[in-house]
Amino acid sequence: MKQSVVKIENLVKRYGDLIALDHFSLDIREGEIFGLLGPNGSGKTTTINCLLALLSFDKGDIEIFGKKMTPTSYEIKQEIGIIMQNVAVFDELTVYENIDYFCGLYISDREKRKQYVEEAIQFVGLDEFRKFRPKKLSGGLLRRLNIACGIAHKPKLIILDEPTVAVDPQSRNRILEGIAELNRNGATVIYTSHYMEEVEQLCTRIAIMDRGRKIAEGTTDELKRMICNTETITIEALALTDEIVKTVSELPHVYDTAYDGTKFTVFCSGGKHNLLRILGVLQEHSVSIGRVFSERPTLNDVFLEITGKALRDKGE
Ligand code: ADP
Ligand code: MG
């Protein structure tokens, strides 16, 4: 079994009357890219802040690299790279000076630091901006600077809190590829996001959070197997009769249907030939159909089925 990197047991954090973390536990092992996925307000940032001993908590235990984490655990902190949700860099320092400053908190050897800062600049692709001050950078470039500041000292554990919010697609892809590369080079990664596609693409294991609780945990495939829905089939068809809808809803593996007069949606659980069977029924009744879609479940479906609400924010 791989070495434990982060172990959180029964963490409880209250802000006044609000329970932000409700007996929350995690066990993250060396080499993982662990995703904390949850809607805004579910407790991701609170978890990270407790983990780093930046925030006191009401109950629970936290160990990092097998040792208890406290505000003065400098040896542990040295091995952690943290990229906060809100960009934290100095406006009066250039790109180079910012990275040098943060790297200098951990690396005192000047030659070594120079090399590390250089590597971090290349890594995030900010070479041509090295003399720029943060205010002159676009949102995406600023995020990349934030990341460079967090990783320049080559930490063993890298924690990124929603690093792609309000980032252009080019920077977003670069950030996601960069994280995968850091992981290939040996870092364990904790990645929080409310974008399920990113988490699904990047993470080896995922905990889904809602209202301070862990509602599910596993690989993407494991999470999807937890739910009943395995396939959602949508068929454009006009004027379906009640009889046809009923016949389809009685097919094996079909557990729900919806028809709005133009779009016929069939929710299936298990089964390999759902689409063929449904099309067969429509053909028997000589229904002419438009486009046909078959979708596999997403992590949103997992969230929806467990909590009864959508993970994705409205308007996104
Ligand atoms: P996330 O990072 O998943 O969006 P947070 O950890 O920021 O969630 O917040 C979890 C809950 O705690 C939310 O309901 C939020 O409003 C609340 N919260 C966060 N920080 C504070 C604070 N400093 N004081 C009071 N409530 C807070
Ligand atoms: Mg947050």
Side-chain angles (χ1 to χ4, degrees):
M1 192 118 175
K2 294 249 177 170
Q3 194 206 334
S4 167
V5 173
V6 168
K7 194 166 175 126
I8 299 178
E9 273 183 335
N10 283 316
L11 189 60
V12 176
K13 170 65 191 174
R14 291 193 183 86
Y15 295 110
D17 288 340
L18 178 93
I19 302 187
L21 293 175
D22 186 1
H23 295 86
F24 185 73
S25 301
L26 279 185
D27 187 0
I28 300 172
R29 305 261 154 185
E30 195 182 344
E32 292 196 276
I33 305 184
F34 193 91
L36 269 185
L37 175 67
N40 288 329
S42 55
K44 303 181 296 295
T45 300
T46 302
T47 304
I48 302 300
N49 286 337
C50 291
L51 193 62
L52 295 167
L54 298 173
L55 198 58
S56 65
F57 43 89
D58 298 270
K59 212 180 120 184
D61 290 299
I62 297 178
E63 279 184 6
I64 301 187
F65 306 121
K67 296 189 198 106
K68 193 175 162 63
M69 183 68 178
T70 69
T72 55
S73 302
Y74 298 116
E75 265 173 45
I76 299 178
K77 287 188 178 181
Q78 199 136 38
E79 303 285 359
I80 303 178
I82 168 74
I83 289 99
M84 292 286 191
Q85 184 169 1
N86 299 317
V87 174
V89 293
F90 295 105
D91 285 339
E92 60 274 22
L93 300 183
T94 64
V95 162
Y96 186 96
E97 290 162 349
N98 263 296
I99 303 172
D100 188 56
Y101 172 83
F102 286 101
C103 189
L105 297 176
Y106 309 99
I107 310 287
S108 46
D109 182 296
R110 291 187 70 186
E111 275 310 305
K112 191 171 169 190
R113 189 162 84 230
K114 208 171 149 201
Q115 181 201 329
Y116 278 20
V117 173
E118 207 52 55
E119 283 176 25
I121 285 186
Q122 301 303 333
F123 185 76
V124 296
L126 284 177
D127 198 13
E128 42 185 316
F129 303 97
R130 59 171 65 224
K131 295 213 171 89
F132 281 49
R133 288 187 208 286
K135 283 216 158 58
K136 294 262 191 263
L137 300 176
S138 70
L141 296 181
L142 196 57
R143 286 269 162 189
R144 293 199 225 162
L145 170 60
N146 200 38
I147 292 174
C149 291
I151 59 143
H153 63 291
K154 299 190 191 290
K156 285 202 286 196
L157 169 62
I158 299 171
I159 301 173
L160 301 107
D161 194 5
E162 309 229 27
T164 57
V165 169
V167 160
D168 60 281
Q170 195 197 344
S171 278
R172 171 181 293 223
N173 285 337
R174 176 141 198 148
I175 288 170
L176 293 177
E177 281 163 22
I179 294 167
E181 191 180 335
L182 290 166
N183 176 254
R184 281 196 299 275
N185 293 340
T188 303
V189 176
I190 300 178
Y191 185 88
T192 90
S193 181
H194 64 279
Y195 299 123
M196 56 184 176
E197 294 90 351
E198 282 184 6
V199 171
E200 188 167 343
Q201 179 191 333
L202 183 70
C203 298
T204 51
R205 213 150 57 88
I206 300 160
I208 303 183
M209 292 183 76
D210 185 40
R211 300 171 194 219
R213 283 179 302 130
K214 182 165 73 182
I215 59 166
E217 185 176 27
T219 63
T220 300
D221 285 345
E222 285 166 353
L223 289 171
K224 288 180 182 177
R225 260 185 259 127
M226 278 175 206
I227 62 172
C228 162
N229 181 295
T230 57
E231 190 177 12
T232 303
I233 293 169
T234 307
I235 299 167
E236 291 179 350
L238 298 172
L240 289 186
T241 62
D242 289 349
E243 189 207 335
I244 298 172
V245 172
K246 185 162 177 283
T247 308
V248 170
S249 64
E250 285 166 356
L251 287 173
H253 305 299
V254 172
Y255 71 92
D256 201 6
T257 58
Y259 183 53
D260 67 1
T262 57
K263 258 192 345 224
F264 185 36
T265 310
V266 185
F267 301 94
C268 307
S269 60
K272 275 193 181 137
H273 307 294
N274 298 319
L275 182 58
L276 282 178
R277 267 195 291 264
I278 296 163
L279 291 177
V281 172
L282 299 184
Q283 209 165 21
E284 270 167 38
H285 291 80
S286 307
V287 175
S288 62
I289 57 173
R291 287 175 298 175
V292 176
F293 307 94
S294 164
E295 291 167 280
R296 297 281 158 191
T298 64
L299 290 179
N300 194 48
D301 295 315
V302 179
F303 193 81
L304 185 66
E305 205 166 303
I306 298 173
T307 67
K309 62 184 188 216
L311 171 64
R312 198 190 287 276
D313 293 348
K314 285 207 172 64
E316 269 190 35

